[in-house]
Each structure stands twice: as C-alpha cells, then as structure tokens.
Amino acid sequence: MQARLDRQQAQSDSRRKGVLDAARAVFDRLGIEGASIREIAKEAGYTAGAIYSYFESKEAIYGALLAESLERLNAAVDAAGADCTEPADLLEAKADAWFGFFAANPRDLDLGFYLVQGMRPRGLTAELNFQLNDRLHDALRPCEAALQAMGLNAEDALRENTALFAHGVGLLLLKHTGRIRMFGQDATLLFDAYLISLVERLQRPPA
C-alpha cells in the first residue's frame, strides 16, 4: 500500500514539474499576460483540466516558479562564505553569491523582477507578493548582517545593502539585455570593483 502511494506521489510530482517547465517556456515566450492555461497545457502535453488539478490559475503557476527560484537563490547564498572568518570577506562572498546566481540564470532574474509581465506583480495576491519579496530579502539579509558586523548600525547597513543590491541589479540588467557591450565593460568585474570600494570605504579610519 505504501509503495503504491509513493509511486502515485512520484508521478504527481513529475507531472507538476512538467507543468512548471512548460509554464516557464510559455512565460518566456509570451509573458504572463500573453500566456494562458490552454497554452501551458499544450506545451506540457496535458489537457487544461489536468493543469487545474495542480494549480488554480496561471498566476499561481507563476508564483510557484518564482518561489522555486528563490529557494535556489537562498541555497546558493547560504552555501557561500562557509570558510570566511572576517565580516568583509563574508560580505563579498554573500554578495557574489546572489549576483552570480542571477548572472548565471537570466530567466530567474526575469521571474524575480516580474520582467516577463511588465515590471509589476500583476495577478499575484498581496499576501503572495509579500511572501515572495520577503524570501528575496532573505537572500540579501546575510550581506546586511555582515555590514553590521563591520560596524554599521542597522539603518546604515540597510541603506548600504539597498545600494549594493540596486547597483548589482542594474549591472545584471545591462548584462542580460546586452547593453553592457556599448560600454565595453564586464558586469561581474564592475560589481566586484563596487564591492571592493565599499569594503575599503567602510574600513577607512574616520577623519
């Protein structure tokens, strides 16, 4: 009996993953507003009714994709800097982790910033949008903690972390749109240079 239940669960998990994979392809191609359950079902090779047995709407599918992406992002950040003993080294390791994740996975950047649906979280409930944003913030909090360990108070650490994130996201957008080429620059090198400059500024003795 248990073996049968395990097989059924494995089959259900496999089908759900198939739906998410299909939805990711459809969202990439059409955006969330241009996509439909029918189009996702066609991509997955299922009926529309079969899709509804797993997700109540295409927005719920989008939320599931983003949630899965944020879990992988947090795992990458959590794993970074295990050997670091100095706050400055930990800051660099954690920041490089989230930047590197988005640099290597442009579709996850699109999901994280709703770029497949026009820059706004249309269709997501306020509660789900809050939960997803909070999970993204979870990936950034280690940098904030490292900044406080370097001597900043909570308010200043938040401000510096926000600026760091904004700088990194701007570079990622330039990288993934190809606009960085017009400057003849490398986004990763520019991000690393910003980090080094930030650490040096914070470690500089007060005048």
Side-chain angles (χ1 to χ4, degrees):
M1 182 65 178
Q2 185 59 48
R4 181 182 178 184
L5 291 174
D6 289 343
R7 285 195 300 272
Q8 290 176 339
Q9 185 61 52
Q11 186 179 51
S12 177
D13 291 344
S14 177
R15 287 177 177 173
R16 186 178 187 276
K17 181 180 183 302
V19 171
L20 291 176
D21 289 342
R24 186 180 290 107
V26 172
F27 288 149
D28 284 349
R29 187 168 68 246
L30 302 176
I32 193 171
E33 292 185 332
S36 67
I37 290 292
R38 186 180 299 276
E39 191 70 27
I40 293 170
K42 180 181 177 181
E43 182 78 21
Y46 298 145
T47 65
I51 301 295
Y52 282 116
S53 67
Y54 295 98
F55 299 99
E56 63 183 16
S57 65
K58 66 179 180 181
E59 289 79 15
I61 297 174
Y62 186 88
L65 281 174
L66 179 51
E68 186 272 339
S69 170
L70 292 172
E71 290 307 311
R72 288 188 287 109
L73 168 64
N74 275 273
V77 173
D78 289 345
D83 298 329
C84 294
T85 57
E86 296 297 324
D89 295 334
L90 187 61
L91 170 65
E92 293 183 6
K94 297 296 187 181
D96 282 338
W98 67 252
F99 184 88
F101 176 86
F102 285 128
N105 300 284
R107 297 287 74 81
D108 288 284
L109 183 72
D110 292 344
L111 285 169
F113 289 89
Y114 312 115
L115 298 183
V116 299
Q117 58 173 333
M119 296 295 284
R120 291 193 297 141
R122 284 192 288 268
L124 300 183
T125 65
E127 180 181 1
L128 179 57
N129 189 48
F130 176 83
Q131 291 172 354
L132 294 171
N133 282 337
D134 196 52
R135 197 67 182 116
L136 174 59
H137 197 187
D138 283 343
L140 307 179
R141 286 189 177 99
C143 287
E144 206 166 307
L147 287 163
Q148 290 189 56
M150 293 178 69
L152 295 184
N153 60 41
E155 182 179 352
D156 289 342
L158 175 60
R159 184 179 64 250
E160 292 289 358
N161 198 32
T162 303
L164 173 63
F165 185 58
H167 188 80
V169 169
L171 289 172
L172 287 164
L173 290 174
L174 287 174
K175 172 182 172 65
H176 292 318
T177 59
R179 296 300 187 189
I180 195 74
R181 291 194 294 270
M182 68 184 286
F183 300 104
Q185 298 292 317
D186 181 283
T188 300
L189 293 179
L190 289 176
F191 185 71
D192 287 342
Y194 182 92
L195 265 175
I196 292 170
S197 176
L198 172 61
V199 169
E200 289 178 346
R201 174 164 57 81
L202 296 179
Q203 291 180 331
R204 191 177 303 138

